[in-house]
């Protein structure tokens, strides 16, 4: 597998997001293939960066190729890859992964996947371990509006590999 350079993430989140599909993320030695993502940019009213930098969102404004991890609803961590130029406030939410030997239902959805991979705030701002093993996505990705948001709900910024 070839490690993705930080420059991979130095592009707009809407460009990086579909390119992340079928890439491999490694967290604490566990390799997981990315199957669903959503893009968030600074001009997006659904993005945490829309209202500017805060203590909570500082990592989202950091260097590309690092993690932005936050707690949602006080119970679920969400894993995001910081993208774009440093200071811009963009990220791609990793919504679903596949891990060999793990039932897919346990890694679908951002909260489930972070529980399965042991993701928490300690990764916030840490460099991302992303790899390309040369395996292309099995099909062209589906592009849909994002889910679980209340602003810009119709923006087609969710990409997924339909494995049903």
């Amino acid at each position: 597998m070839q490690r993705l350079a930080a420059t991979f993430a130095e592009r707009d989140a809407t460009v990086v997001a579909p390119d992340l599909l079928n890439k491999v993320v490694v967290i604490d030695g566990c390799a997981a293939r990315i199957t669903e993502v959503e893009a968030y940019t600074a001009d997006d009213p659904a993005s945490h960066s829309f209202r500017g930098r805060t203590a909570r969102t500082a990592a989202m404004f950091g260097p590309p190729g690092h993690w932005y991890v936050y707690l949602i609803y006080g119970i679920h961590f969400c894993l995001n890859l910081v993208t774009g130029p440093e200071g811009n406030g963009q990220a791609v939410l990793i919504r679903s992964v596949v891990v060999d030997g793990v039932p897919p239902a346990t890694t679908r959805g951002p909260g489930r996947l972070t529980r399965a991979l042991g993701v928490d705030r300690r990764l916030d701002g840490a460099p991302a371990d992303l790899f390309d093993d040369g395996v292309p996505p099995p099909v062209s990705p589906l592009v849909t509006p994002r889910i679980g948001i209340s602003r810009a709900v119709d923006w087609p910024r969710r990409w997924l590999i339909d494995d049903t």
Side-chain angles (χ1 to χ4, degrees):
M1 287 196 297
Q2 179 180 357
R3 178 183 292 275
L4 296 176
T7 55
F8 172 86
E10 284 181 4
R11 303 172 291 154
D12 190 88
T14 60
V15 175
V16 174
D19 285 352
L20 277 173
L21 292 176
N22 228 41
K23 299 297 189 279
V24 177
V25 58
V26 177
I27 297 181
D28 292 336
C30 180
R33 190 169 300 278
I34 299 169
T35 58
E36 182 181 350
V37 295
E38 289 181 350
Y40 292 88
T41 53
D43 64 340
D44 176 354
S47 177
H48 291 172
S49 64
F50 186 69
R51 290 196 170 99
R53 185 183 181 130
T54 65
R56 178 186 185 211
T57 65
M60 193 174 183
F61 289 85
H66 287 67
W67 294 126
Y68 165 48
V69 178
Y70 62 89
L71 189 63
I72 188 168
Y73 306 127
I75 53 174
H76 300 295
F77 289 102
C78 291
L79 181 67
N80 298 261
L81 177 67
V82 176
T83 64
E86 188 168 352
N88 190 258
Q90 305 185 42
V92 175
L93 172 65
I94 313 297
R95 288 195 53 83
S96 183
V97 298
V98 172
V99 179
D100 286 341
V102 176
T106 64
T107 58
R108 282 192 184 133
R112 289 186 188 127
L113 86 83
T114 55
R115 263 193 310 282
L117 298 177
V119 171
D120 58 27
R121 289 277 300 172
R122 71 185 159 75
L123 288 179
D124 190 47
D129 284 331
L130 291 167
F131 298 86
D132 185 349
D133 63 359
V135 177
V139 295
S140 294
L142 298 175
V143 182
T144 72
R146 295 167 295 187
I147 56 177
I149 59 173
S150 59
R151 295 179 186 98
V153 295
D154 58 339
W155 293 18
R157 291 191 171 191
R158 176 177 170 239
W159 291 264
L160 66 148
I161 299 170
D162 184 17
D163 61 354
T164 58

